[in-house]
Every structure is written in structure tokens, then in C-alpha cells.
Amino acid sequence: MATDTLSVTFAALADPTRRAILARLAQGPATVKELSSPFAMSGPAVSKHLRVLERAGLIARGREAQWRPCTLEAAPLKAVAEWAATYRRFWDESHDRLDDYLRRLQGREDDDGHRA
């Protein structure tokens, strides 16, 4: 059974270490050593996280002489944002209903905060 791209992206984003790596790469390219420095884990463990991100299409690994930079690939994140945006109408309507309810409650109180 084939897994859809959105599911692969969400699976990659599910781990806080991978999200931290993506946040670092949003600042610009970095080597594996630079990416692993904030974490108390082995180089191979960080490399496993990078492979997951690479399979999800969230990063690309390059080669420049001895330097092997990783870069952020934002296209899958755009797909996540578009998917989440489909629920924005629901949240906006829920917040509007809550605002209406709070206004009704406030309208029932007088200036001293007592119910009218």
C-alpha cells in the first residue's frame, strides 16, 4: 500500500528533533556536524533523522568539495499548510461563535458586574 506524501511529511514532522533540525535549516544550509551539535545523540542517530527528512522531501543533501550541506526543501511544508488551511473556516466560525457568546454574557451584566 502506497503512503501519500502528506502522511510521510506528517510522520517526519512528528519528531521534535527533526522539527528542530528543520528550524535550524530555515536559517540556511548546515553540515551534519552543525546540525548534530545541539543534540545529545550520536552522529549516526542524527543521520537517521536526516534520512527520514530526506525521504519526506523536506531536506536535500548536497556536495561541495569536502562540505556536504543540508538545505531545507519547503514544498512539503506548503502542502501541510494548505491542508491545515482547509480547517481555518471551521476555527474562524468557532471563534466567532465564542465571541458572540461572550458579548451576550457581557451584555447581561451591569456596570458593577452584577447580572441585570
Side-chain angles (χ1 to χ4, degrees):
M1 177 175 165
T3 304
D4 65 287
T5 305
L6 195 57
S7 294
V8 172
T9 303
F10 274 119
L13 294 173
D15 186 274
T17 300
R18 292 194 285 267
R19 291 192 306 270
I21 289 169
L22 291 176
R24 167 53 188 88
L25 290 175
Q27 299 170 12
T31 64
V32 173
K33 184 177 180 181
E34 291 168 334
L35 292 171
S36 64
S37 66
F39 306 108
M41 64 177 67
S42 68
V46 171
S47 290
K48 285 182 181 182
H49 284 294
L50 294 175
R51 281 194 296 279
V52 170
L53 293 169
E54 193 172 22
R55 277 194 304 270
L58 291 163
I59 68 166
R61 294 203 224 187
R63 185 178 190 121
E64 297 174 16
Q66 298 298 330
W67 194 54
R68 303 187 78 133
C70 295
T71 56
L72 177 67
E73 297 290 327
L77 295 175
K78 183 180 181 206
V80 167
E82 289 171 352
W83 177 84
T86 62
Y87 296 94
R88 182 182 180 112
R89 183 174 154 222
F90 167 79
W91 289 111
D92 287 345
E93 289 173 0
S94 295
H95 289 137
D96 289 344
R97 285 191 305 274
L98 178 60
D99 285 342
D100 291 343
Y101 177 71
L102 292 174
R103 275 194 285 277
R104 283 195 313 272
L105 283 179
Q106 290 170 345
R108 292 181 191 164
E109 296 179 357
D110 62 19
D111 292 336
D112 294 327
H114 297 95
R115 292 203 179 266

